[in-house]
Amino acid sequence: HKRTGPRRPRAHAAHPRATVALQAPPAPARMRVLTLVSALLVPAASLLLPRGPARGGARSLAATTNIDPPVRVGVIGAGRIGLVHLEALSSCADAQPIIVSNPTVSKAQAAAEKFNLPYYSDSAEEVINHPEVDAVWICSPSQFHADQIKACAAAGKHIFCEKPIATDLAGTIEAIQVAKDAGVKLMTAFQRRYDPNFAALRKALEAGEIGMPVNAILLSRDPAPPPFQYVAGGGGLFKDMAIHDLDIARWVMSARGPNEVVRVYATGFCSVDPEIKQLSESNPSEAIDTASIQLLFESGAAATINVCRRASYGYDQRVEVLGEKGTLRFENVHPTTVEKWTGDSVSRLDLPHDFFMTRYAQAYVNETRAFCEALSQNKPVTPDGDDGKKALMLAMACDKSLREARPVDLSEIAP
């Protein structure tokens, strides 16, 4: 594979690859062709159309603190979640996307054109080492996250990483430590913490409005199951889906002070997609699409998480917390607040949101703003790498509990 270098999006199709010397194209005055060292080594697509001098020139390998906004951002991955984050970045005045990469370069080009980015590439390295980039959004497949975090740290770039940090605990711990040693900030993308409903509930708990939390119930159900190809090798229901709920349970139940999970008991079965049952030998957690998780906390409080891959009525996200002095809860979010009242019934006019991208659209914007603010003001980020590690450990405990059909103490999951 030959690196093509960052390119600027154009309205027409990308220049075809070739191994012959480039002829100077009849381009506008702003365009210039990179000098060829060897026509046999440099593809013809290696055109760089600069948008002007980089702010501050090339960066040193030391991480910059107190970054003046807008934070200049590079995005690795132009798939579904990468586009979600590009949408959020484009809505944030304190962020300026500079470059996006994707192995299928046409996807990177399409994303650059859609969101008006100056550069695109087929190489994650081009994003990480781009001299104008302050922070990198890692939206690539999970197996690449740890290496890309370490590469960002070596380049002195702050990191916003989609979950998981790594596909195993050892790799997660190593990546977190490399980022800490390099002095770069590492934020884990658990966007629900920045959803207005979740945030308001947590704030009310912090204020002691219902006293100490005693019990919580979290319901999390997707509108429809993913395809078999997504489930197979995806890590299972707990690592792929329920990890968001495990993080929220930790976050909510610790609102009044540190309060970690000490024991997990998980059960699950297949109720939606019979095809995934064949995965039970390789990974029992991939062969289930419905599960119940019981969490016991240090304080003696408990939480129950119910997850399922399908809910016929939409994206089901509800939470209830019982405290010493009352209850806090919120219901599903609908596209509108319109209700229909007739002599037969009273009902909502529309169903809940049917996709996480619409349900959590504001949350993605809010977490983007929070990370940019942490960079410009040199504040701690939340959730950080350690939060990502603890959520992974909880998911691993769920895997073990399901496999062995017993409660699992967190002390059994080696840090």
Side-chain angles (χ1 to χ4, degrees), residues 221-225 272 308-316 351-354:
R221 299 164 184 154
D222 285 352
V272 178
C308 185
R309 293 283 197 186
R310 184 174 67 192
S312 60
Y313 46 85
Y315 197 48
D316 193 357
L351 294 172
H353 283 285
D354 61 358

Side-chain angles (χ1 to χ4, degrees), residues 376-394:
S376 63
Q377 300 181 18
N378 195 23
K379 301 193 305 184
V381 297
T382 181
D384 60 12
D386 288 327
D387 290 314
K389 178 190 72 175
K390 290 176 180 178
L392 176 61
M393 291 177 67
L394 288 174

Side-chain angles (χ1 to χ4, degrees), residues 317-394:
Q317 300 281 287
R318 290 173 284 160
V319 174
E320 178 177 299
V321 180
L322 173 67
E324 296 170 313
K325 301 186 294 183
T327 293
L328 291 166
R329 63 191 297 268
F330 65 79
E331 290 292 326
N332 283 316
V333 177
H334 296 246
T336 74
T337 61
V338 178
E339 295 180 345
K340 180 176 67 176
W341 293 40
T342 70
D344 297 323
S345 66
V346 174
S347 62
R348 299 293 297 255
L349 187 63
D350 46 22
L351 294 172
H353 283 285
D354 61 358
F355 203 26
F356 75 92
M357 290 195 292
T358 56
R359 167 61 181 84
Y360 288 114
Q362 188 59 49
Y364 284 110
V365 174
N366 292 346
E367 72 173 352
T368 300
R369 290 172 178 163
F371 187 52
C372 291
E373 181 179 299
L375 296 183
S376 63
Q377 300 181 18
N378 195 23
K379 301 193 305 184
V381 297
T382 181
D384 60 12
D386 288 327
D387 290 314
K389 178 190 72 175
K390 290 176 180 178
L392 176 61
M393 291 177 67
L394 288 174

Side-chain angles (χ1 to χ4, degrees), residues 106-129:
S106 59
K107 291 186 176 181
Q109 180 180 7
E113 291 171 353
K114 179 177 180 179
F115 295 102
N116 196 29
L117 273 63
Y119 304 112
Y120 66 94
S121 174
D122 63 359
S123 168
E125 292 179 4
E126 296 286 354
V127 173
I128 294 169
N129 295 305

Side-chain angles (χ1 to χ4, degrees), residues 128-141:
I128 294 169
N129 295 305
H130 196 287
E132 295 183 52
V133 168
D134 299 311
V136 175
W137 259 241
I138 297 177
C139 308
S140 55

Side-chain angles (χ1 to χ4, degrees), residues 8 29 31 52 56 66 104 122 154 166 175 194 236 243 262 277-278 281-283 293 297 317 344 364 399:
R8 184 174 179 176
M31 182 187 299
N66 296 89
T104 304
D122 63 359
Y194 290 94
I243 195 166
V262 295
K277 291 181 179 180
Q278 63 185 280
E281 292 297 323
S282 58
N283 185 350
I293 306 167
F297 290 82
Q317 300 281 287
D344 297 323
Y364 284 110
D399 286 337

Side-chain angles (χ1 to χ4, degrees), residues 195-214:
D195 173 72
N197 288 312
F198 281 105
L201 186 143
R202 160 84 183 204
K203 185 176 181 180
L205 284 170
E206 289 176 343
E209 293 189 17
I210 60 168
M212 292 295 293
V214 174

